[in-house]
Amino acid sequence: MVVLSDEQKTFFETQGYLLVENAVSEEQLAGLRRQFADWVEESKAHDEAYGETIDGRARFDLEPGHSADKPALRRINAPTDISEDYYQVMRDSKMTDCVAELIGPNIKYHHSKVNSKLPGAATVVKWHQDFPFTPHSNDDLITALLMVDEVTADNGPLQIVPGSHKGEIHDLWHNGVFTGAVDDAVTSYCLDNAVTCTGKAGSLCLMHTRLLHGSAPNLSTRPRTLFITVYSAEDAVPCSPNPVPNRHQGEVVRGELSGHIRSTAFDIPMPQMPQAASFFDQQAQA
Ligand SMILES: O=C(O)CCC(=O)C(=O)O
């Protein structure tokens, strides 16, 4: 089934992102929401990061100040490993179809996470590009950000810089320190050119891996939950360990395993990535 028009595909190619409404069925969305509510409930019994991913790191990450009264669950690593609802949406939904039409036909799963900003959460994601965190032999990678809640201008929406996927890969090291974020000059350029990605629950932002993006704190009384999934073309081979190791990485979710490796990325100057506990740790330590 064709899900994207030629105009939408051209928009993605030139702008590096695309917003799509109703990217999952009502039933799938209800499943994601129900599961997330259960996880928030469970987090109330904890006061530090807990659970375990396949490499032994914490699965559930809590924001400083988290409590049973004011839960601040901010990250779930590899939710597809522990939830059939999340696995099925990653594996077989309109979201998967959209990705296949943009960088397919053969598509592989790389990793996923849930980024949550509960009301009043201070979490900020500084401006960066995703490719340096997941370098591959070519850059046919898409980060699919599915809005599990409605995303508005004031609940910590994703912001992107249209067309920035055609530019350089920016350094994330500054004064000898890995910050996980671009420098002040690039940040200021991003703020001047930012587009805010809002939408009702079930909407999807598809983002090219080189697109500059970030997001602000949640200043509202409503939660902002994103299910974030990274897919690659099947012929893109990872050049570094998976930042969120998981049980299903490398699974072909659309098309077939061709066995080909397509290499176009080796001439892209790529800042070296240290392996740290989590993306938030990397940005926070800087
Ligand atoms: O949660 C967000 O708003 C954006 C997340 C993001 O950019 C990332 O995790 O790379």
Side-chain angles (χ1 to χ4, degrees):
M1 185 184 60
V2 175
V3 290
L4 295 177
S5 66
D6 287 346
E7 287 74 19
Q8 286 175 305
K9 289 183 203 165
T10 303
F11 186 92
F12 180 82
E13 207 277 311
T14 58
Q15 305 299 309
Y17 78 104
L18 181 67
L19 286 166
V20 178
E21 289 193 341
N22 304 318
V24 287
S25 69
E26 299 256 314
E27 205 186 341
Q28 287 172 324
L29 181 61
L32 300 181
R33 291 171 66 89
R34 201 167 37 239
Q35 175 68 83
F36 183 71
D38 287 349
W39 282 328
V40 172
E41 209 42 48
E42 183 185 86
S43 78
K44 293 180 179 175
H46 297 269
D47 51 17
E48 58 184 29
Y50 61 98
E52 211 175 292
T53 58
I54 59 167
D55 68 341
R57 282 185 278 172
R59 187 178 299 282
F60 296 90
D61 184 27
L62 305 173
E63 188 160 314
H66 163 91
S67 68
D69 290 344
K70 216 170 160 230
L73 176 61
R74 72 174 169 186
R75 161 73 68 89
I76 299 155
N77 288 309
T80 50
D81 277 3
I82 52 168
S83 163
E84 191 59 22
D85 289 313
Y86 280 78
Y87 176 72
Q88 282 306 330
V89 167
M90 174 284 286
R91 192 82 175 72
D92 193 14
S93 62
K94 184 174 163 189
M95 172 169 93
T96 328
D97 293 329
C98 289
V99 174
E101 287 184 16
L102 293 174
I103 56 167
N106 304 331
I107 299 296
K108 272 186 318 205
Y109 172 58
H110 190 264
H111 74 269
S112 67
K113 60 197 176 196
V114 174
N115 274 9
S116 156
K117 294 183 187 177
L118 291 168
T123 300
V124 167
V125 178
K126 295 178 193 165
W127 290 90
H128 65 282
Q129 294 157 302
D130 284 347
F131 197 49
F133 291 92
T134 53
H136 278 61
S137 63
N138 67 66
D139 60 10
D140 273 346
L141 273 79
I142 284 183
T143 304
L145 303 104
L146 181 72
M147 304 178 200
V148 178
D149 298 311
E150 182 182 17
V151 178
T152 61
D154 62 353
N155 71 351
L158 179 78
Q159 293 185 297
I160 56 96
V161 179
S164 56
H165 64 307
K166 304 261 190 201
E168 65 187 277
I169 300 284
H170 296 277
D171 205 346
L172 306 177
W173 286 84
H174 310 297
N175 302 320
V177 177
F178 179 77
T179 66
V182 298
D183 68 18
D184 291 348
V186 180
T187 296
S188 150
Y189 164 79
C190 291
L191 291 170
D192 287 347
N193 293 280
V195 165
T196 300
C197 299
T198 57
K200 62 182 179 143
S203 303
L204 176 66
C205 180
L206 295 156
M207 206 174 62
H208 189 280
T209 186
R210 297 172 67 128
L211 198 75
L212 282 160
H213 63 285
S215 71
N218 182 352
L219 304 174
S220 78
T221 53
R222 282 159 291 102
R224 191 230 63 172
T225 310
L226 294 181
F227 174 35
I228 302 176
T229 307
V230 175
Y231 299 95
S232 76
E234 179 267 337
D235 59 7
V237 176
C239 303
S240 73
N242 195 320
V244 187
N246 63 84
R247 293 208 332 247
H248 302 285
Q249 61 197 39
E251 240 173 55
V252 175
V253 297
R254 282 288 182 274
E256 59 187 25
L257 190 65
S258 71
H260 291 293
I261 298 176
R262 186 163 44 93
S263 165
T264 56
F266 290 121
D267 57 345
I268 297 172
M270 189 73 66
Q272 286 263 306
M273 291 300 127
Q275 288 297 306
S278 82
F279 177 84
F280 286 116
D281 290 339
Q282 286 172 331
Q283 288 203 335
Q285 280 160 14

